[in-house]
Amino acid sequence: MEREDQAMNIVEETGLYARVSSEQQVEAGTIESQIAALEERILQDGYALRADLCFIDQGYSGATLIRPALEQLRDRAALHGLDRLYVHSPDRLARKYAYQVLLLEELQRNGVEVIFLNHEAQQTAEDQLLLQMQGMIAEYERAKILERSRRGKRHAAKTGDVAVLSGAPYGYRYISKQEGGGQARYEVVEEEASVVVQVFHWMGVERTSIGEICRRLKAARIASPKGKPAWDRSSVWGILKNPAYKGLAGYGKTQREALRPRLRAQRGRSLQPRRAMSVGTQPEQEWLSIPVPALVEEALFEAVQQQLKENRQRARQGQRGALYLLQGLLVCAHCGYAYYGKQISHKAAKGNARAYAYYRCIGTDAYRFAGERICDNLQVRTDLLDQAVWEEVCDLLQDQQRLRQEYERRLSASRPEKEGLVTLRAQIGKVQQGMARLIDGYTEGIIQKQEFEPRLARLRQRLTQLEQQEQRISEENAGAAELQVAIERLEEFAEKVKGNLAEADWAMRRDLIRMLVKRVEIAKDEVRIVFRTFPDPNPGDIHEKSLQLCRKRHFSDPGQPIHALCL
């Protein structure tokens, strides 16, 4: 009878969740200790752990629910593909008490039993109260640490301690406490300081524009703060607005805010940031001033501020807000930069009124990249691309059979490699153990430096390859479950809105497109629409529609190469 019970336990779907919040913890390998303790407890309880049920978030804060592994865990639980979940402690699941309650109720509602290593999960009122108190204490502890840190830094700023700035702007070099004998300070870099003085003179005395300053700096072959041959206007504006150059560096100019919604990830960055927060500006009256060496006189600094204000008032302000249907969704398939909407000038239109504009790749603007274009992709008419994408969205919402067929195709195309993932994890463990033994041998003097360094480099290279394979297979294993959730939610949403598509105005079209389309990739011979799932805030792809070259709706003007949509 005992053997039968043990066999039933092995059949149950058992998983674990682990998390560390800082990059230092990731580098120190503290998450490995969590995983080892969880795996040991799972074996003691007589359960088997599947590799694809290990949900690990490295470097993600517990103060937010937007975490990749946590999203996969919740989707797996929603599909009733998980019976037991092991977590080291409640604060690893979430730092905020409200989030802990939300996640625990959601998991229990889906039939998942949650086991904490430092807390025996029981169903009595006393045990539930103890768990709630732990969650509240963890949240209070985090808030207390943040408040103490904030108050300590503000006190140091009030006393004029430069160490709270942790860096220096262009024209200075930051000397840390270790380098400065216990006192942090700004040290003037004479070559850069002369450039700063010249920039202030051009703006405050000669009353030039920021654009003219950028042109003069480029003509003088003065490299930007990042070493580029051309200066960006925002860099010059930042210098002219920085009070450090008049001798008073500002502390507390920005503040952390809740993460603002984003349509898509920025170029080269992940859609799910490790720190789920945005940075906003603080009013100048709330800044704290710290004395530093001045580069310009206060009268010149104030004259520059007045000139910036006058330039802003005289500048012709264009209309802001939502001007284009696909604004923020278009991406160049060649260089990765965004497409933006650009009106046709009166000269280019030859005096004729045009009811459309063009979507243009940022990489084709030479003035943004030191006078040289980095991309030669084509521009696209707004009216033709808008209509094509809207029709594709309508087809997706009205044809649910198409959703189901895509779901079946993606499932048949993916072949999860569960056994391969287990083998890879074992190999990664062996390589890590080998690196530890090699380091111990070098520390004890058994291995010489000439032999130690190449062997360690080979092991690190092997470890990187194995970790990349592990990540790829883990994503493939989780794809089937995520895809099923995506299709079910999208079909439910389609039933609600498909009757109103014919009467949709411009605003409703824009809202629907932003809900369903993750991005639109524009190449020279095709346009690809990548749909997102609904209604998750950070969903995965469920379908990619490639719009190939054909001879229907033309994207370009007559006489130009034909780039069209074929649905």
Side-chain angles (χ1 to χ4, degrees):
M1 190 70 177
E2 240 175 3
R3 292 181 179 176
E4 293 179 0
D5 291 342
Q6 189 173 1
M8 289 180 64
N9 286 345
I10 293 176
V11 172
E12 290 189 5
E13 300 289 357
T14 302
L16 63 84
Y17 178 79
R19 178 189 64 82
V20 290
S21 56
S22 67
E23 294 295 339
Q24 291 81 0
Q25 290 174 313
V26 174
E27 295 175 359
T30 58
I31 198 167
E32 277 75 17
S33 62
Q34 287 187 45
I35 297 173
L38 292 169
E39 290 177 343
E40 182 180 356
R41 173 63 182 277
I42 292 173
L43 292 176
Q44 290 178 358
D45 292 349
Y47 294 95
L49 176 64
R50 284 173 43 183
D52 61 323
L53 294 182
C54 295
F55 304 98
I56 302 171
D57 278 319
Q58 299 195 49
Y60 284 86
S61 172
T64 175
L65 293 178
I66 307 176
R67 289 172 258 157
L70 183 62
E71 291 287 301
Q72 296 176 12
L73 167 62
R74 297 173 71 182
D75 287 343
R76 189 60 179 255
L79 294 171
H80 302 288
L82 190 63
D83 298 309
R84 296 166 67 89
L85 179 68
Y86 285 79
V87 187
H88 190 273
S89 58
D91 66 335
R92 296 300 89 194
L93 196 61
R95 273 288 187 179
K96 291 186 177 182
Y97 168 66
Y99 289 167
Q100 290 182 12
V101 173
L102 183 148
L103 290 173
L104 289 174
E105 288 182 352
E106 179 180 323
L107 292 171
Q108 292 171 0
R109 186 168 59 250
N110 291 317
V112 180
E113 181 184 1
V114 182
I115 299 97
F116 296 108
L117 264 60
N118 65 346
H119 176 80
E120 292 294 334
Q122 304 291 336
Q123 297 301 322
T124 63
E126 291 79 6
D127 289 316
Q128 293 294 327
L129 177 61
L130 178 60
L131 181 62
Q132 294 171 6
M133 290 180 63
Q134 287 181 343
M136 288 186 287
I137 291 173
E139 183 176 357
Y140 171 77
E141 186 178 283
R142 177 179 181 273
K144 198 69 176 176
I145 292 173
L146 292 175
E147 177 61 18
R148 287 173 178 170
S149 176
R150 186 190 69 85
R151 289 178 60 85
K153 289 181 178 180
R154 288 187 63 85
H155 175 73
K158 289 179 180 179
T159 60
D161 190 354
V162 180
V164 297
L165 299 174
S166 303
Y170 182 80
Y172 298 100
R173 181 184 297 109
Y174 176 73
I175 306 299
S176 64
K177 285 185 176 181
Q178 291 77 10
E179 299 172 333
Q183 184 67 37
R185 67 178 186 273
Y186 276 6
E187 186 178 90
V188 177
V189 180
E190 295 298 337
E191 183 179 354
E192 296 180 355
S194 61
V195 176
V196 172
V197 173
Q198 183 65 68
V199 168
F200 272 89
H201 179 80
W202 283 337
M203 174 62 69
V205 178
E206 299 184 18
R207 304 181 67 181
T208 59
S209 65
I210 292 181
E212 176 61 22
I213 292 175
C214 292
R215 288 187 287 272
R216 291 185 181 185
L217 290 172
K218 181 182 178 182
R221 297 184 178 180
I222 298 175
S224 71
K226 294 184 178 180
K228 297 181 180 180
W231 284 65
D232 191 84
R233 295 168 186 256
S234 61
S235 299
V236 176
W237 183 88
I239 289 176
L240 296 173
K241 294 291 292 184
N242 195 334
Y245 297 115
K246 68 175 181 179
L248 296 175
Y251 173 78
K253 294 187 291 184
T254 60
Q255 64 178 352
R256 294 181 177 180
E257 303 173 347
L259 182 65
R260 305 187 191 100
R262 298 185 297 175
L263 282 179
R264 56 176 178 82
Q266 294 180 349
R267 182 175 182 265
R269 298 186 183 181
S270 172
L271 181 61
Q272 295 174 326
R274 295 189 180 276
R275 291 291 177 267
M277 61 186 66
S278 298
V279 178
T281 57
Q282 286 273 63
E284 289 190 23
Q285 56 269 24
E286 297 184 14
W287 298 359
L288 297 178
S289 298
I290 301 176
V292 296
L295 299 184
V296 299
E297 296 181 357
E298 185 174 356
L300 177 58
F301 184 87
E302 296 302 329
V304 167
Q305 306 312 305
Q306 187 64 30
Q307 186 62 41
L308 288 174
K309 182 178 179 181
E310 182 179 340
N311 290 351
R312 185 167 54 250
Q313 291 175 345
R314 292 184 177 182
R316 293 176 295 176
Q317 298 293 331
Q319 183 181 2
R320 303 298 181 185
L323 300 179
Y324 305 100
L325 193 65
L326 304 180
Q327 185 173 329
L329 295 174
L330 302 179
V331 181
C332 178
H334 298 288
C335 68
Y337 279 100
Y339 264 68
Y340 68 97
K342 184 175 183 178
Q343 295 287 344
I344 303 175
S345 65
H346 184 76
K347 181 179 179 181
K350 298 180 180 179
N352 299 323
R354 301 288 179 90
Y356 58 86
Y358 279 94
Y359 290 121
R360 180 182 175 88
C361 175
I362 288 178
T364 61
D365 292 337
Y367 74 90
R368 301 178 189 266
F369 306 97
E372 296 183 5
R373 300 172 59 178
I374 65 172
C375 183
D376 60 352
N377 207 351
L378 303 175
Q379 59 185 8
V380 181
R381 277 179 53 169
T382 56
D383 55 342
L384 299 178
L385 185 58
D386 291 349
Q387 182 63 24
V389 173
W390 172 244
E391 290 179 3
E392 187 64 27
V393 169
C394 293
D395 291 344
L396 181 70
L397 293 174
Q398 292 173 345
D399 189 359
Q400 295 188 15
Q401 184 62 29
R402 172 181 165 191
L403 292 176
R404 186 56 56 183
Q405 291 174 355
E406 175 65 15
Y407 167 63
E408 298 294 341
R409 183 189 68 81
R410 292 285 292 273
L411 280 185
S412 60
S414 62
R415 294 180 175 86
E417 305 177 38
K418 298 175 183 177
E419 299 298 331
L421 190 58
V422 174
T423 305
L424 275 176
R425 289 186 185 276
Q427 293 177 356
I428 290 174
K430 291 181 180 179
V431 174
Q432 290 174 339
Q433 292 175 3
M435 292 174 63
R437 288 195 296 266
L438 186 63
I439 294 173
D440 292 340
Y442 176 71
T443 305
E444 296 173 3
I446 301 175
I447 302 176
Q448 297 300 320
K449 183 178 181 181
Q450 296 80 358
E451 186 181 3
F452 167 74
E453 291 181 347
R455 291 177 62 181
L456 183 62
R458 287 195 298 269
L459 286 175
R460 285 178 174 171
Q461 183 179 5
R462 176 61 176 164
L463 181 61
T464 301
Q465 294 174 352
L466 292 174
E467 288 177 343
Q468 290 175 351
Q469 294 178 20
E470 178 195 14
Q471 182 179 3
R472 177 182 60 80
I473 296 176
S474 298
E475 292 174 354
E476 291 177 357
N477 290 340
E482 294 177 356
L483 187 58
Q484 184 174 346
V485 174
I487 295 297
E488 292 175 355
R489 291 175 176 173
L490 191 54
E491 286 181 340
E492 180 182 354
F493 175 72
E495 282 293 332
K496 296 180 180 179
V497 302
K498 68 179 184 180
N500 300 324
L501 296 178
E503 294 80 18
D505 56 8
W506 188 91
M508 182 178 179
R509 290 188 180 191
R510 183 171 181 268
D511 290 341
L512 286 175
I513 290 175
R514 292 162 74 92
M515 280 188 206
L516 299 178
V517 176
K518 185 173 184 179
R519 64 181 180 273
V520 179
E521 300 175 355
I522 301 179
K524 292 183 179 179
D525 57 352
E526 68 176 9
V527 176
R528 176 177 296 176
I529 304 173
V530 182
F531 291 98
R532 69 168 81 230
T533 56
F534 180 84
D536 285 349
N538 290 285
D541 298 346
I542 61 160
H543 179 60
E544 294 188 0
K545 177 66 177 179
S546 180
L547 307 172
Q548 304 291 344
L549 182 68
C550 71
R551 297 189 178 275
K552 293 183 182 177
R553 295 181 299 272
H554 294 183
F555 279 104
S556 55
D557 290 330
Q560 298 294 328
I562 299 174
H563 300 276
L565 293 179
C566 183
L567 303 181

